[in-house]
Amino acid sequence: MAWSTPKTWSSEPLTSVDLNTYVRDNQNYLNLRPSDSYTLDESSDYSTTSTAFVDVDATKLAFTITSNGGDVLVHFDGTFRFTAGSGAAACYLDLDIDGSSIAGDDGILRLNIANVNDFAQASFTRFISGLSVGNHTFKLCWKISSGDTVALLAGAGTSGGDLHPQFWVKEI
Amino acid sequence: MQNIEITRIGVNIPALDAQLRAQLASQLYGISVSAGKVIVHLTDTATADDFVTIQTLVSEHNPAQLTAVQIKQKAAQENLQTARSQFTQSLDPDDFRDESASIQTLIERLNWLENEIRDLRGLE
């Protein structure tokens, strides 16, 4: 269903066609914005040693929505843990939209985790504009500093870290 | 980037990463592990032979085999546990009354540090 630019009315009959197009359909459009979400409650946490951006989970933290060409909000919140390595670890987050990094370079944000076994929290909401009408796929990606292992706690029952991150996409 | 997904339960992540890097350093970005699978992230230059090497290394991976760093960390933890079991009593300042004032002050400060550490560890 697409948005119809509201009509400028003049002295004319009020027809069911116009009412359905400009009132019913436009209100449905506003009410039924494309969106998707997932809250993690998994059997194991996610871990990576990758120094290049890779999908956190190409199935569960990846959404395809049919955009009407409007702006889109993308949000993630979660807790990470530095599980192996030396010194401090850096964990970078990025968004992949239709196969391309939204931010480029080192992504959207960086977590610095000082010591092994320390936790770090991340949360971001990103405003995406200029998407074409049609299907678009959004994926959460991460990379970390060389020689380190970082985990995203995902509700796997980790002691003191049985936490549930959320990733969502919504056209506004 | 190329990704190989391999079903595998029980992974010593730093050890497997090190094993793969020893064989494929220039082709490997790293590994991701979750829910009974290992994903190996490779550059576009990785070859079919590299894929065979990876499959072999992952399937033969022994998670009980520790890296040098893990061995060192384990030894340090074991030494700490041994020392904790050996030194269960605080130093008694009365045992050092015949020592110099400096030594007695040192004993008092050691006892103070020990109490601070016990407090930080949440011990009674």
Side-chain angles (χ1 to χ4, degrees), chain A residues 48-49 81-86 89 116-117 144-145 147-151, chain B residues 12-14 69-70 73:
Chain A
T48 194
T49 66
R81 191 176 197 184
F82 179 14
T83 56
S86 60
V116 173
N117 292 325
I144 65 167
S145 40
D148 298 324
T149 306
V150 170
Chain B
N12 179 341
I13 297 173
V69 169
Q70 288 174 326
Q73 289 171 338

Side-chain angles (χ1 to χ4, degrees), chain A residues 43-54 84-85 142 149, chain B residues 1 3 13-14 17 21 29-36 41 73:
Chain A
S43 58
S44 70
D45 298 323
Y46 298 84
S47 293
T48 194
T49 66
S50 180
T51 56
F53 277 115
V54 296
W142 60 344
T149 306
Chain B
M1 178 179 291
N3 296 312
I13 297 173
D17 182 86
R21 286 189 194 277
Y29 288 121
I31 63 175
S32 295
V33 179
S34 71
H41 307 291
Q73 289 171 338

Side-chain angles (χ1 to χ4, degrees), chain B residues 62-99:
Chain B
N62 177 5
Q65 190 170 350
L66 305 180
T67 64
V69 169
Q70 288 174 326
I71 291 171
K72 194 174 171 186
Q73 289 171 338
K74 187 179 175 192
Q77 191 62 28
E78 287 170 353
N79 287 341
L80 181 58
Q81 292 302 329
T82 300
R84 283 174 178 171
S85 64
Q86 281 178 337
F87 302 111
T88 57
Q89 301 295 323
S90 298
L91 294 169
D92 186 349
D94 288 341
D95 292 340
F96 300 87
R97 291 296 173 218
D98 294 335
E99 302 293 339

Side-chain angles (χ1 to χ4, degrees), chain A residues 3 13 18 33 52 56 103 109 120-121 130 164 166:
Chain A
W3 172 259
D18 283 346
R33 311 304 299 117
V56 177
L109 61 82
Q121 298 76 35
H164 304 277
Q166 188 181 69

